[in-house]
Amino acid sequence: MKDIKVIFRGRKTPSGKRANAEYMIGAKKLEMLKKDGRFEIEVLDKPIAKPKKKKAPKKETSDE
Amino acid sequence: MATTIGSANPVASQASDTELAVFIPEIWSAAVRASFKKSLVMANAGTDFSSLASGSGDTINIPSVADVADAATKAPHVPVNYTNATEDSLALALTSHKYASAMVEDMGVVQSNSDLLSMYSDSIGYKLALGFEVEIEAALALTTECINIAGNTVAKTIDALTLAHISKVVMENDCPLSECTMILNPTLYASLFRIDDFIHISKTGTANVQNGLVGSVMGMDVVLSNNITSTNHNDAVDSADGALTNGNVLGGFVLHNSALAYGFSKAPTVSSEYDIDYIAHKLVGDYIGGAKLVQDASQTKCWGIVEEATTAW
């Protein structure tokens, strides 16, 4: 899902993307582009991960 | 021996099935192949760099040039800006040495009424070509960009909607459709017949078409291949940037004509020698070459076509 807003700076941009324009990309793609190491990526907006609900501690059953 | 009195005893006749069988020769036709040749199509969609390696060398470096910075407004009295960038290159390694061979003993060559040496020589040539096709397919399968066609109405088909999606992805990456080739397995290729926009080559009246070319759709040449067996790359993403499951068997490729580079240090050659120890003719064919997907994140040129969770077509 493309839910991260980014801007590519610098001369080298990923396929089909222009420099200095906003794009929505997915987390996996962002990870790949960062790993590539040749692109200047500015992350503008990232979805905030929902805090995981803590599970209620299990009640211990008494032996009685 | 049967005896007879009179003329009406058919048991005593000289018939072709038994009594005259020795006089009737059996005729052997020209040999037929045990299996049909699979169409070898993928190299037609690439660029041959063999001429660069005709002298020596085992690696061909293909440099790429990034565009200069965007056009800027020139302000009065302000000097222009200059920018630089380290350019990249991709290496095509010509280090794959493959062979196919056969040895035919003299007794077979002398007593056969077929030209055995020509037949096995032809078979060796075909197997070398098939071996190279497999190498090309493995190179293309290294693309980390895939198009997931799982949104199709019927599983394992390309329908009009899927086709529109494929076209969109290719166009978003600035690849002109007319310069692209779609290589499909038989299942996906057959499904194109349901689409009105698919123009089969037989309807165009075109002569001298390249091997495997079977039509065009959305301006892209479509070729059929039976040699697509690889799975998608483990890091592959679909066009919505979602990670794909490992192990989806690819159903085909969409590739721009500059996406595939290949070359031979030694072109496929068949050599023969007479071996006195075995009293036989030895035939060996080999080639030295390689294939490479010429693509990086700056420009996607090749997409694998997958249907999520499809591990067999």
Side-chain angles (χ1 to χ4, degrees), chain A:
Chain A
M1 192 170 54
K2 297 182 180 182
D3 54 1
I4 303 168
K5 193 187 279 185
V6 296
I7 286 186
F8 299 100
R9 308 286 188 193
R11 259 180 64 182
K12 291 189 179 177
T13 55
S15 181
K17 309 283 192 289
R18 279 179 46 204
N20 306 316
E22 293 182 4
Y23 290 97
M24 299 300 290
I25 63 171
K28 178 80 177 177
K29 185 83 171 197
L30 180 61
E31 181 194 326
M32 282 170 66
L33 294 175
K34 279 183 176 172
K35 201 173 162 187
D36 186 284
R38 292 177 301 150
F39 306 111
E40 209 176 300
I41 309 166
E42 192 178 319
V43 178
L44 299 177
D45 197 11
K46 214 172 181 177
I48 301 159
K50 288 178 183 174
K52 285 181 181 176
K53 287 179 182 175
K54 284 182 181 177
K55 284 182 180 178
K58 283 183 179 178
K59 288 177 183 175
E60 287 181 12
T61 50
S62 60
D63 296 333
E64 291 172 28

